[in-house]
C-alpha cells in the first residue's frame, strides 16, 4: 500500500510541475491580421494585387510579399533579390523589413520576396500604404508602392 501511495504522490507531483510549466511558458505573440492585400505599382514587373503575410515571435517579425499579377521580368536565382519593405507606423515613423529571401523565379512568374525580417514593439500598427518595397536586382533598384491602404487593415503586433 505504501508503494502505491508513493507512486501516486510522484505522479501527482510530476503532473503539477508540467501544468505549472505550461502556465509559466511564454505565450506566442500574434499579429493581426496575419495577411493583408494591397494594390501595388512597380517600376518593373507591372502592377496589381499583392498579398502580405506577417508572422511574429516576440519582437522579431517577418513579412512575405507575393503576387501573381506583378511578375518577374527575367529569371532570378533563389535568394538573389535584396529587398527592403518599409511600412508606415501609426503615430509616425517607419519600420523596415529586409532580406534576400526569394524562391527561384522564371521570367513571367509571379513575384515572391520574403520572409523579410524586422523588429516590432508591442502595439506597433504598420501600414504598407505610404511605405515602399525596394528590390535591388543585379545592382539596379526597383521600387514598388501601394496605391491605397492594405485590406483588411494595418498589421498590429502584440
Amino acid at each position: 500500500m505504501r508503494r502505491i501511495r508513493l507512486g501516486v504522490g510522484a505522479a501527482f507531483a510530476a503532473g503539477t510541475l508540467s501544468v505549472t510549466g505550461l502556465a509559466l511558458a511564454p505565450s506566442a505573440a500574434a499579429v493581426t491580421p496575419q495577411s493583408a492585400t494591397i494594390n501595388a505599382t512597380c517600376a518593373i514587373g507591372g502592377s496589381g494585387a499583392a498579398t502580405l503575410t506577417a508572422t511574429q515571435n516576440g519582437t522579431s517579425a517577418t513579412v512575405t510579399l507575393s503576387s501573381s499579377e506583378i511578375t518577374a521580368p527575367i529569371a532570378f536565382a533563389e535568394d538573389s533579390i535584396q529587398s527592403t519593405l518599409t511600412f508606415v507606423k501609426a503615430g509616425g515613423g517607419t519600420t523596415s523589413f529586409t532580406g534576400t529571401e526569394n524562391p527561384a523565379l522564371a521570367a513571367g512568374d509571379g513575384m515572391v520576396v520574403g520572409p523579410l525580417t524586422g523588429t516590432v514593439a508591442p502595439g506597433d500598427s504598420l501600414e504598407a500604404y505610404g511605405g515602399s518595397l525596394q528590390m535591388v536586382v543585379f545592382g539596379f533598384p526597383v521600387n514598388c508602392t501601394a496605391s491605397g491602404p492594405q485590406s483588411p487593415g494595418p498589421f498590429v503586433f502584440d
Side-chain angles (χ1 to χ4, degrees):
M1 184 71 160
R2 184 171 187 190
R3 203 177 308 160
I4 292 172
R5 274 191 284 192
L6 184 58
V8 169
F12 180 72
T16 301
L17 286 174
S18 66
V19 168
T20 302
L22 287 174
L24 297 177
S27 61
V31 57
T32 0
Q34 291 181 335
S35 70
T37 303
I38 59 170
N39 283 312
T41 301
C42 298
I44 297 174
S47 62
T51 300
L52 300 168
T53 305
T55 63
Q56 180 184 5
N57 185 4
T59 60
S60 179
T62 64
V63 177
T64 300
L65 179 140
S66 59
S67 175
S68 60
E69 296 178 18
I70 300 169
T71 59
I74 59 174
F76 295 109
E78 181 177 3
D79 300 336
S80 64
I81 303 171
Q82 174 62 46
S83 302
T84 301
L85 179 57
T86 302
F87 288 90
V88 175
K89 289 172 86 169
T94 61
T95 297
S96 294
F97 292 77
T98 61
T100 56
E101 299 288 326
N102 65 275
L105 299 168
D109 283 354
M111 286 298 297
V112 177
V113 293
L116 307 175
T117 59
T119 303
V120 295
D124 275 356
S125 178
L126 304 181
E127 168 66 60
Y129 184 54
S132 66
L133 170 64
Q134 181 181 48
M135 298 175 285
V136 178
V137 181
F138 303 118
F140 297 100
V142 176
N143 291 308
C144 301
T145 56
S147 58
Q150 65 192 52
S151 176
F155 291 120
V156 178
F157 295 87
D158 284 344

